Amino acid sequence: MARLIHLLIALMLVSSVVCTDSFPHIFELSARPWLYQLGLKYHKHMMLEDVPDSEIKYYADRGITHIYLLGVWSIGAYGLNHDRTDAGLLADYKNILPDFTTADIIGSPFAVTKYTINPQIGTTSDLKNFRDRLNSFGMKLILDFVPNHSAIDAPTATSSIDLYVHNTPSQSAPFDRSIMTESGIYYGKDKYGYVWTDTAQFNYFNADTVKARTADLFAVAALADGIRCDMAMLAVNEIFSGIWGSTVSTRGYTQPSTEFWQTAIAAIKSRNPDTIFMAEQYWGMGDKLLSLGFDYVYDKEGLYDTLSGLSGRDESSYIWGIKNYVKNTLASGFLDHGAHFIANHDQDRAVYHWGVDWRADLAGMVTFTVPGLRFHWMGQWEGYRNKLDIHLRRQKTEAADEVCVSFYDNFLPILRDHEVFHAKDARIEYVEGSDNDAWKILALRMEHASEGVLVAINLSKESASASIPLPHVSGAGNVTVKELVSGTAYYRDADTLRNQGLFVKVNSNYLQVFSYPV
């Protein structure tokens, strides 16, 4: 199936040229905790301008193409006080960081007052210079945009209240402070009624709101090469209508005929065509958001949840669930547009989530070899189990997990050094091998230019073998087939590879990756 091509800059190495047909390989850094950690490492107060080049080069050397820097925007005193006094949050902090202090509570990065740089990390000039330094190492910068709400003490909440969902004060109907601010602006919430009491809800059925939010999006795009859009589905008309339609209708607002995302993304890309848009999304809204112009959408409800679904299931149904998901979404093209991850700032640490290091690594083998956007989170490569809460500057101290460290030390260079994993025009096929236990192996055949790669992942707790045809192998007689994980070279007859296939035997819950000529 022909792959949909979206414009994207993904620089692989310092000497590489601009490449608009590669899948991005993203690493997420939470800006203030990252700078705090670097400050401890270098024994100094750290701002963006102080980050050593060696810390940036570390990610470039491991094949990362984009840094997603979470939490660079200005936050207010209201949100910080909220996060330092809310009883539920304080209980959470105590649970995950028993020795936390008030200074450790830095405030949610998603209660934005305005899209200017948080002075705790630097200035606009510092952020521009940081982006330039990323570019010098062949990487790009992704920043956040929070569409659904602002901080309660955002300037617009006072100067332009009609941009928000709000009520008018009256003596007969006092405000319900559990759902709205003292000025009558509703708190942000999702469709299940979960309320973010440090935020003010925007009204997307107001044309002035759409105009103002588009201007904010332009402000982000001016400083970034890509934009990660928080809870993006909340700004889709059908979702907003379901949550707020009846409320805003009392003030005369009705559902518009156009979608915010469609017009806003088109406007950004008309000026900055290479800007990448990634949507955090749930509730099955991925296809809708892709149709509105997003390049990539979270694949949490798909691949992540499928890989997480072993509990209560027999091994066979678990394995076939993974294989069928990859097969079907590869065929439909959705997999190419998924943002694939095993951890991020919202999800639990991977090792904690999967319960043991090797199972987290197995999830990573699948997640980071399928096509699409690959998305890593700080602490993932070290195998950390303790959560880094978005409100805090640090997590509970722990030692790195050597199993995870060794896995990523070996695995990341394979992804980095073989363009077939990144090229959007690569021929990628789901294949089934032949042998009694071939069903245990997820096999993907990938070919681009003169290189082919066969990824064989054993999803079972026992070793498994299969013969997997490589019909496009070039040459005659013996050809070299190199297994990239071990570095072992094999010499196999080309006709046998094309017809009977390559025989593989893969250890339990592990992978082999074979390179061959095409």
Side-chain angles (χ1 to χ4, degrees):
M1 175 179 178
R3 300 187 179 279
L4 299 174
I5 302 300
H6 287 281
L7 292 172
L8 168 69
I9 295 178
L11 298 171
M12 295 289 101
L13 298 168
V14 176
S15 60
S16 66
V17 297
V18 171
C19 180
T20 59
D21 58 355
S22 294
F23 293 118
H25 198 178
I26 291 177
F27 197 94
E28 179 185 4
L29 292 168
S30 188
R32 290 171 294 161
W34 181 50
L35 293 174
Y36 177 74
Q37 292 174 13
L38 291 180
L40 296 177
K41 179 178 179 179
Y42 291 100
H43 308 289
K44 62 176 290 186
H45 179 71
M46 191 73 67
M47 305 281 276
L48 269 183
E49 65 176 352
D50 303 315
V51 176
D53 282 350
S54 60
E55 297 293 339
I56 298 173
K57 184 175 182 293
Y58 170 82
Y59 297 102
D61 286 347
R62 283 153 182 76
I64 295 301
T65 62
H66 293 69
I67 293 294
Y68 161 33
L69 196 61
L70 165 66
V72 305
W73 306 121
S74 297
I75 62 173
Y78 186 101
L80 183 58
N81 181 66
H82 171 278
D83 296 343
R84 288 179 171 178
T85 58
D86 182 87
L89 289 176
L90 292 173
D92 289 342
Y93 307 154
K94 190 68 174 178
N95 182 52
I96 65 175
L97 187 64
D99 65 341
F100 82 92
T101 67
T102 299
D104 290 320
I105 306 170
I106 57 176
S108 169
F110 298 110
V112 177
T113 54
K114 52 186 176 179
Y115 287 86
T116 56
I117 309 307
N118 187 326
Q120 293 180 343
I121 70 170
T123 66
T124 299
S125 178
D126 293 336
L127 184 61
K128 289 179 178 179
N129 290 337
F130 181 76
R131 181 185 181 189
D132 289 342
R133 288 203 287 155
L134 289 178
N135 293 169
S136 74
F137 284 99
M139 294 186 292
K140 297 292 186 181
L141 178 64
I142 293 179
L143 298 176
D144 265 310
F145 174 68
V146 186
N148 187 63
H149 48 254
S150 74
I152 286 174
D153 52 350
T156 47
T158 301
S159 65
S160 307
I161 193 172
D162 283 338
L163 299 181
Y164 296 87
V165 179
H166 71 93
N167 276 349
T168 302
S170 69
Q171 291 181 340
S172 60
F175 292 147
D176 180 351
R177 292 302 308 284
S178 69
I179 60 173
M180 66 182 71
T181 71
E182 62 183 12
S183 63
I185 298 177
Y186 282 87
Y187 298 131
K189 71 175 181 180
D190 70 9
K191 74 173 184 177
Y192 297 112
Y194 183 86
V195 177
W196 296 288
T197 53
D198 57 341
T199 69
Q201 175 68 50
F202 282 113
N203 176 9
Y204 274 91
F205 285 3
N206 182 349
D208 289 336
T209 303
V210 170
K211 182 178 179 180
R213 300 265 61 206
T214 303
D216 286 336
L217 199 56
F218 268 107
V220 178
L223 295 170
D225 305 290
I227 305 174
R228 180 258 184 197
C229 298
D230 184 72
M231 297 290 283
M233 69 285 182
L234 291 174
V236 174
N237 284 343
E238 66 181 272
I239 299 296
F240 185 86
S241 180
I243 301 171
W244 297 109
S246 61
T247 303
V248 300
S249 68
T250 63
R251 302 184 64 83
Y253 295 104
T254 59
Q255 181 170 318
S257 60
T258 57
E259 291 276 3
F260 165 71
W261 286 123
Q262 191 164 36
T263 56
I265 292 174
I268 297 293
K269 291 205 171 193
S270 69
R271 190 175 301 177
N272 305 298
D274 294 324
T275 302
I276 178 176
F277 277 85
M278 173 173 64
E280 178 192 15
Q281 65 85 27
Y282 312 103
W283 314 333
M285 292 297 291
D287 286 328
K288 176 68 174 182
L289 289 163
L290 288 173
S291 76
L292 298 179
F294 279 93
D295 300 290
Y296 300 97
V297 296
Y298 271 31
D299 198 13
K300 194 272 176 188
E301 294 172 325
L303 187 59
Y304 179 92
D305 284 353
T306 302
L307 288 165
S308 303
L310 179 59
S311 178
R313 301 175 65 187
D314 65 86
E315 186 179 58
S316 174
S317 63
Y318 172 69
I319 290 173
W320 279 113
I322 295 168
K323 293 177 66 170
N324 285 333
Y325 181 80
V326 172
K327 178 182 178 180
N328 294 336
T329 55
L330 182 63
S332 71
F334 180 82
L335 200 63
D336 291 33
H337 300 281
H340 310 304
F341 52 81
I342 62 171
N344 59 43
H345 64 266
D346 286 313
Q347 311 307 137
D348 284 327
R349 292 290 194 187
V351 176
Y352 178 87
H353 177 74
W354 272 278
V356 65
D357 46 24
W358 60 263
R359 188 164 289 282
D361 291 346
L362 178 66
M365 294 172 203
V366 178
T367 300
F368 302 126
T369 53
V370 298
L373 181 151
R374 301 175 177 98
F375 183 178
H376 303 264
W377 167 231
M378 60 191 296
Q380 175 188 312
W381 296 348
E382 292 83 3
Y384 289 154
R385 293 165 170 79
N386 295 326
K387 184 179 180 66
L388 175 61
D389 189 279
I390 61 167
H391 304 89
L392 302 175
R393 67 181 179 180
R394 64 184 177 97
Q395 66 178 71
K396 186 177 179 181
T397 303
E398 62 184 309
D401 184 311
E402 292 304 320
V403 171
C404 292
V405 171
S406 177
F407 168 67
Y408 284 106
D409 282 349
N410 290 318
F411 182 60
L412 291 171
I414 294 173
L415 299 180
R416 177 196 65 199
D417 295 340
H418 297 271
E419 181 59 24
V420 69
F421 288 109
H422 308 284
K424 288 186 178 180
D425 60 349
R427 176 170 51 201
I428 302 177
E429 300 169 293
Y430 169 95
V431 290
E432 282 289 347
S434 59
D435 210 339
N436 288 339
D437 54 4
W439 65 271
K440 300 175 181 177
I441 295 175
L442 170 65
L444 293 175
R445 192 168 55 215
M446 307 177 174
E447 296 169 349
H448 179 258
S450 61
E451 182 184 33
V453 163
L454 173 66
V455 177
I457 303 173
N458 182 1
L459 299 170
S460 79
K461 58 187 177 183
E462 298 175 344
S463 64
S465 59
S467 294
I468 303 172
L470 305 177
H472 305 116
V473 165
S474 64
N478 281 344
V479 297
T480 302
V481 177
K482 185 174 182 180
E483 203 286 300
L484 301 176
V485 178
S486 66
T488 304
Y490 300 94
Y491 303 96
R492 297 290 184 265
D493 178 71
D495 284 337
T496 300
L497 293 175
R498 284 188 283 263
N499 298 305
Q500 283 78 48
L502 176 68
F503 179 78
V504 303
K505 186 172 184 178
V506 190
N507 291 336
S508 62
N509 301 124
Y510 207 61
L511 86 166
Q512 291 183 332
V513 183
F514 296 91
S515 175
Y516 58 91
V518 293

